[in-house]
Amino acid sequence: MKPNNFICTWLKRFSVVCVLTLSTTLVACSTETATPGEESGETASAEAGPTGSNSGKTIRISIGTQDQVINTAVGGATVRELGLLEKYLPTTGKYEGVKYKIEWSSYTSGPPITNKMLADQIDIGLMGDFPAVINLIKFQEEVEGVESTFIGTLAYSPNGAGNAVVVPKDSDVESLADLKGSSVSVPFGSAAHGMVLKALKDAGLDPEKDVKLISQAPEVGGTSLRTGQIDAHADFVPFGELFPFRGFAKKIFDGAQTNVPTLHGIVVRSDFSEEHPEIVEAYLQAVLEANQMFREKPEEISAQIEEWSGIEKEVVYMFLGPSGLQPINPSIGEVQLSALKNSIATLITLGKIESPVDPEDVTGWVDEGFLKNAMEKSGLNYDEVIAEGESYVITGKDALTDEEITDPKMAAQLWIQEEPAVTSFASIPNMVKQLNTLQEEGKAADVIFVHDRNKGWKLFAENSYYVTNGDEVSAFLLADDAKAFAAESGGQMTSFKDLLQTYASASQPVRMSRLTRDRLLLALERVLPMLAG
């Protein structure tokens, strides 16, 4: 058997085992950090008092994250795996002598985190906008004397990009309207749940009567698509891009078509934040450092996140890298507030909130004070942090012509297999021409990125729509946008396959390979313990 066939056989054989195991397994870990020289004692809250009065006491810090939801990666796995929280935890004053017990747990969506927070088993939770407002509302309804507070954003989209509806790759379905009478799965209570309810209604379908909605976690939804058990799956970041990237699904609806902002952010129990504001600020300092690390070394951190989450580095980079789908901006500005307010309004319209709630109430459940204090402690300027997050786009020189990349929306990128960094180009034609050299050298590209001409979003080249005007090539996320630009500019719509034939002199198709030695070893590392068990 050839090596490649052997590898494929192994991966196919074990993929179902991996997916089903991941969908039901709770990733949990805890670490303990103590002031040097101190012994651990019973778990207790550290009260203000004389220096050293808390010697031997332990403070629990329980954080619920979603490792496979890339928007939470900088606040979850990156902080956890690189030990960034431990770096900033207070050790003086009322915290002198205390020992910290840091508990991390990972879930496939936001609702389980809310349930744990309500039960006082999680102090800080990371989740999307719909789960976050449900979290805020449930604390108002169910917990006396304790509220949940939204204290910062992890990543967001001003128009809803990231949420998506996908169908099997060979499906005849091309739009939401085609799903009438079909089965559609989605994680109930998630940001994607709210998105698909609204999107179906906007498409003229009754979510209660015209489709069969099923609650499925992302990994289960992916398996159901592969095996034909469902007709479509709606999900949040990163699965609308991940499943097409893995080659078994195609996207028929993008959250950007709703033009409604979406986000993932941070909520905290008020009793914890009031008793330990310094710890909350320390956590946010860790998030701010993780943000900066990602901006400075996006490929390196993306590769590490793949190891921690199982989500391919190319997809991580697509969402959070330069010109990515989700800007990393920790602030809670008007766009972020709109995302939370719109979530409440949509849930009310759909009858998913029983008690009367005014969307404007969300402003009273938001507090940027912890974030601003964290920035001050880290020597950061609030306005500069926001500007840096919003202006994180492709820069540098074209790898083919050495010209400066002046318009990120027209740029293209290759992540060449086994290379640590992404290669950038000022134009799509330059990128395609460079593919010839790759083939001549026997190399393959793990992924090819282009960018939406209107919005600048990072797109998979194979799944995008194009318009040519002479030697200028523009890419678009949506076919309607490409058609509109072609009509306006007098250009011609074309496909990526046609572009390859136009600009590439090689007669063979471009080699694309997403299976590397490291990726195979990582997959086997995850599978073998399951088989042994």
Side-chain angles (χ1 to χ4, degrees):
M1 181 181 293
K2 293 181 179 180
N4 284 347
N5 290 338
F6 173 78
I7 290 169
C8 290
T9 300
W10 267 72
L11 290 182
K12 288 178 181 178
R13 184 177 299 168
F14 297 140
S15 61
V16 174
V17 178
C18 288
V19 168
L20 292 177
T21 303
L22 283 172
S23 67
T24 56
T25 300
L26 171 65
V27 179
C29 62
S30 65
T31 59
E32 293 189 354
T33 301
T35 302
E38 296 294 344
E39 299 296 329
S40 64
E42 296 182 359
T43 301
S45 297
E47 302 293 342
T51 299
S53 64
N54 288 299
S55 178
K57 293 185 178 180
T58 299
I59 299 176
R60 182 201 75 182
I61 308 170
S62 181
I63 304 171
T65 183
Q66 301 174 63
D67 279 359
Q68 292 186 308
V69 180
I70 295 308
N71 273 5
T72 70
V74 288
T78 307
V79 172
R80 181 186 70 226
E81 298 295 333
L82 298 182
L84 299 181
L85 175 56
E86 291 86 338
K87 178 178 177 179
Y88 292 102
L89 287 173
T91 57
T92 60
K94 69 177 183 179
Y95 296 100
E96 184 176 346
V98 303
K99 186 172 183 178
Y100 295 105
K101 184 179 181 182
I102 306 173
E103 299 175 348
W104 290 91
S105 52
S106 180
Y107 306 83
T108 57
S109 61
I113 299 176
T114 289
N115 292 337
K116 294 281 188 179
M117 289 184 70
L118 290 168
D120 195 18
Q121 296 173 6
I122 289 179
D123 307 305
I124 299 172
L126 315 184
M127 61 188 69
D129 42 25
F130 277 82
V133 298
I134 292 173
N135 176 288
L136 300 171
I137 292 169
K138 280 188 172 292
F139 265 89
Q140 296 287 321
E141 295 175 339
E142 300 180 16
V143 185
E144 185 176 353
V146 180
E147 296 181 347
S148 179
T149 309
F150 190 90
I151 59 171
T153 305
L154 294 165
Y156 82 103
S157 169
N159 44 51
N163 293 324
V165 180
V166 297
V167 296
K169 190 172 183 179
D170 59 356
S171 172
D172 294 331
V173 173
E174 296 182 350
S175 68
L176 293 181
D178 295 336
L179 290 174
K180 187 171 183 177
S182 301
S183 58
V184 181
S185 75
V186 61
F188 280 8
S190 69
H193 189 196
M195 178 272 295
V196 77
L197 289 173
K198 183 178 186 304
L200 288 170
K201 194 171 183 180
D202 291 345
L205 299 180
D206 185 335
E208 301 290 338
K209 299 177 181 178
D210 293 330
V211 298
K212 181 181 179 182
L213 284 180
I214 304 167
S215 182
Q216 288 187 333
E219 297 82 4
V220 178
T223 300
S224 296
L225 278 179
R226 285 179 183 268
T227 57
Q229 297 178 55
I230 57 173
D231 300 304
H233 179 69
D235 226 319
F236 39 74
V237 176
F239 300 97
E241 305 296 341
L242 180 66
F243 293 162
F245 177 80
R246 289 179 175 173
F248 64 84
K250 65 179 181 180
K251 183 164 57 176
I252 63 165
F253 183 86
D254 192 283
Q257 291 172 255
T258 66
N259 201 32
V260 175
T262 185
L263 59 75
H264 281 76
I266 309 163
V267 291
V268 61
R269 284 180 58 102
S270 63
D271 53 352
F272 183 84
S273 63
E274 289 168 3
E275 186 173 4
H276 304 301
E278 301 89 350
I279 294 176
V280 176
E281 291 162 9
Y283 168 72
L284 290 172
Q285 283 184 277
V287 172
L288 289 167
E289 181 173 351
N291 289 352
Q292 188 60 40
M293 291 175 70
F294 194 97
R295 281 192 290 269
E296 291 174 354
K297 299 178 179 180
E299 295 98 335
E300 179 180 325
I301 302 298
S302 292
Q304 289 180 299
I305 291 174
E306 177 177 351
E307 295 178 10
W308 304 328
S309 69
I311 304 300
E312 285 83 341
K313 63 184 181 181
E314 297 87 354
V315 177
V316 178
Y317 183 89
M318 180 178 193
F319 279 98
L320 304 182
S323 298
L325 293 173
Q326 304 277 335
I328 303 176
N329 174 353
S331 69
I332 312 172
E334 285 303 316
V335 174
Q336 289 82 1
L337 286 174
S338 293
L340 298 174
K341 292 177 183 178
N342 288 333
S343 297
I344 295 177
T346 300
L347 289 168
I348 292 174
T349 301
L350 297 169
K352 300 300 180 181
I353 297 179
E354 297 180 2
S355 58
V357 178
D358 186 341
E360 293 298 324
D361 289 347
V362 78
T363 58
W365 304 332
V366 168
D367 187 354
E368 263 196 319
F370 299 103
L371 178 63
K372 291 181 177 179
N373 288 341
M375 289 182 181
E376 184 176 349
K377 288 180 178 179
S378 294
L380 301 173
N381 177 275
Y382 179 84
D383 293 332
E384 290 177 358
V385 169
I386 295 174
E388 189 174 23
E390 294 298 316
S391 62
Y392 185 44
V393 295
I394 297 172
T395 57
K397 293 187 176 182
D398 187 300
L400 181 68
T401 65
D402 208 37
E403 63 184 295
E404 289 290 336
I405 299 174
T406 58
D407 188 351
K409 294 179 180 179
M410 302 300 288
Q413 294 180 303
L414 298 174
W415 201 330
I416 301 170
Q417 191 175 50
E418 303 293 356
E419 291 196 1
V422 171
T423 303
S424 299
F425 303 86
S427 70
I428 294 172
N430 286 356
M431 176 270 291
V432 176
K433 292 172 185 176
Q434 184 71 3
L435 289 172
N436 289 318
T437 304
L438 278 182
Q439 284 192 246
E440 292 169 1
E441 296 175 351
K443 296 181 179 179
D446 283 332
V447 69
I448 304 173
F449 292 122
V450 293
H451 301 85
D452 186 273
R453 181 187 176 102
N454 293 337
K455 302 295 184 179
W457 306 317
K458 195 175 294 295
L459 311 171
F460 289 131
E462 310 99 295
N463 302 334
S464 302
Y465 300 90
Y466 298 88
V467 176
T468 59
N469 294 83
D471 280 337
E472 181 184 83
V473 180
S474 306
F476 297 88
L477 167 67
L478 304 176
D480 287 345
D481 289 347
K483 291 176 183 176
F485 181 72
E488 175 189 341
S489 65
Q492 297 292 320
M493 285 191 65
T494 189
S495 67
F496 187 64
K497 181 179 180 180
D498 289 337
L499 286 177
L500 295 178
Q501 293 176 349
T502 301
Y503 291 100
S505 60
S507 58
Q508 298 180 356
V510 174
R511 292 179 61 207
M512 294 286 293
S513 176
R514 288 157 186 163
L515 184 62
T516 64
R517 176 180 177 276
D518 290 342
R519 192 163 282 166
L520 171 64
L521 292 175
L522 185 62
L524 293 177
E525 186 177 292
R526 291 193 182 105
V527 170
L528 292 177
M530 301 175 196
L531 297 178

